[in-house]
Amino acid sequence: MSDTMTTGTPLVRLTDCEKRYGTIIALTGVSLEVHPGEVTCVLGDNGAGKSTLIKIISGMHQADAGTYEVAGEPVRFTSPREALEHGIATVYQDLAVVPLMPVWRNFFLGSEVRKGAGPLSRLDIRFMRDTTRTELRNMGIDLRDVDQPIGTLSGGERQCVAIARAVYFGAKVLILDEPTAALGVKQAGVVLRYIMRARARGLGVVFITHNPHHAYPVGDRFLLLNRGRPLGAYTKDEITRERLTTLMAGGEELEQLSHELEGAAAADADLGRVAEELEQDVAELSGRTAPPEQGA
């Protein structure tokens, strides 16, 4: 592990972040940097603190300790809307889409463009359709028809529409919450390709995942969490895929468990021998105390 790569002022920097819920420590001592044109992967198993970290960056919750900076300026967001105004967009795993609405309606959901004024104003459908088609094409997404319900798209395509939407509305930092978790191998590959395209457009991407095989090919930085504490922060040239997988899988804990199981197995074997000896003793005692056979 080495010092942080110096590529200018980070888009986002968290230092010694801590979050408590009553007596429960959800995060402690967590530091994170997101640079433009880089993918920062946050890895951890269930309960590692990934969701809490997302909520702090996106403005849903506030840290109890530590500092949070955006473009070098200290901030303390009170809502996701405030974070969005600073260019920080979050794409959650469940996706906020309306399955029966067309792709273009979901693309502009909550930010519909209108033309005209007053009571005569109406949706500018042509502009929204054309813009949706253009922005998706710029991200390399070629849909047959933006009028088709978004629910007819694959999981990977829906994730990509959400990414393109965030980029269009001015996101500088894109937080992706387990985007490949519920996808097959092929669709996960589609999402990873669009993550790389977002990086190529200069965005800082925070990729939340529990799968090191998805994180390593696209990641530039890796932060590993375990029960709310950092296991380590690495750049790509400081860690191999195998080492990342071992840390993610809890290699040291698994090794300790393996020794415990071997000890338990040996103890079970000893207990088995003791049980056999006891059975033999019982059998001998039974033979000695058995009543003599009566003659015919």
Side-chain angles (χ1 to χ4, degrees):
M1 203 181 311
S2 67
D3 295 337
T4 303
M5 288 190 303
T6 56
T7 58
T9 303
L11 294 171
V12 166
R13 177 189 282 140
L14 274 73
T15 306
D16 292 330
C17 180
E18 182 174 313
K19 181 64 180 177
R20 295 172 179 263
Y21 298 99
T23 58
I24 299 174
I25 302 175
L27 283 179
T28 182
V30 174
S31 298
L32 172 75
E33 285 193 1
V34 182
H35 288 259
E38 288 189 357
V39 178
T40 299
C41 300
V42 180
L43 299 101
D45 212 340
N46 293 335
K50 303 189 301 295
S51 295
T52 302
L53 183 61
I54 290 175
K55 291 173 182 176
I56 291 173
I57 299 174
S58 65
M60 187 174 296
H61 291 173
Q62 293 76 45
D64 297 320
T67 60
Y68 182 8
E69 299 175 15
V70 175
E73 297 294 328
V75 296
R76 186 173 178 83
F77 297 140
T78 58
S79 70
R81 174 65 65 181
E82 192 175 350
L84 193 57
E85 291 171 354
H86 283 74
I88 299 173
T90 305
V91 178
Y92 290 99
Q93 184 178 351
D94 51 1
L95 294 177
V97 298
V98 182
L100 297 180
M101 280 189 175
V103 173
W104 67 266
R105 285 297 303 269
N106 278 278
F107 192 91
F108 283 91
L109 192 63
S111 302
E112 290 81 0
V113 178
R114 307 184 72 87
K115 60 182 178 180
L120 298 179
S121 68
R122 59 197 183 278
L123 293 177
D124 193 343
I125 295 176
R126 175 176 292 181
F127 172 82
M128 290 189 285
R129 280 176 175 161
D130 292 344
T131 301
T132 299
R133 190 178 293 109
T134 300
E135 290 301 316
L136 293 180
R137 191 178 295 118
N138 289 341
M139 288 292 293
I141 308 168
D142 189 15
L143 292 183
R144 295 179 299 276
D145 184 8
V146 294
D147 281 309
Q148 68 186 101
I150 199 169
T152 63
L153 303 183
S154 67
E157 289 173 328
R158 288 197 297 272
Q159 285 281 353
C160 297
V161 170
I163 293 172
R165 180 184 189 276
V167 173
Y168 173 74
F169 283 103
K172 297 177 182 176
V173 176
L174 189 60
I175 305 171
L176 303 176
D177 176 23
E178 299 272 9
T180 61
L183 304 180
V185 174
K186 184 176 180 180
Q187 290 301 320
V190 170
V191 174
L192 295 178
R193 185 164 63 249
Y194 294 130
I195 289 175
M196 295 178 68
R197 288 185 178 174
R199 176 180 64 182
R201 295 183 66 168
L203 275 72
V205 181
V206 180
F207 180 19
I208 310 293
T209 182
H210 63 271
N211 191 330
H213 298 288
H214 291 169
Y216 196 81
V218 300
D220 299 291
R221 301 168 184 268
F222 305 93
L223 171 64
L224 287 89
L225 298 178
N226 183 28
R227 299 179 183 177
R229 301 176 183 274
L231 284 178
Y234 304 88
T235 57
K236 194 163 191 172
D237 59 353
E238 295 172 335
I239 192 168
T240 63
R241 187 199 305 261
E242 292 72 23
R243 178 60 178 163
L244 185 66
T245 303
T246 299
L247 290 172
M248 179 61 197
E252 295 178 359
E253 294 180 3
L254 289 177
E255 186 176 353
Q256 182 179 356
L257 178 60
S258 176
H259 292 319
E260 291 178 357
L261 291 175
E262 290 174 358
D268 287 345
D270 292 339
L271 289 174
R273 286 193 294 271
V274 171
E276 290 178 0
E277 293 174 357
L278 287 174
E279 288 177 0
Q280 293 175 359
D281 292 342
V282 170
E284 291 176 1
L285 288 173
S286 298
R288 292 174 185 173
T289 58
E293 295 182 359
Q294 296 181 353

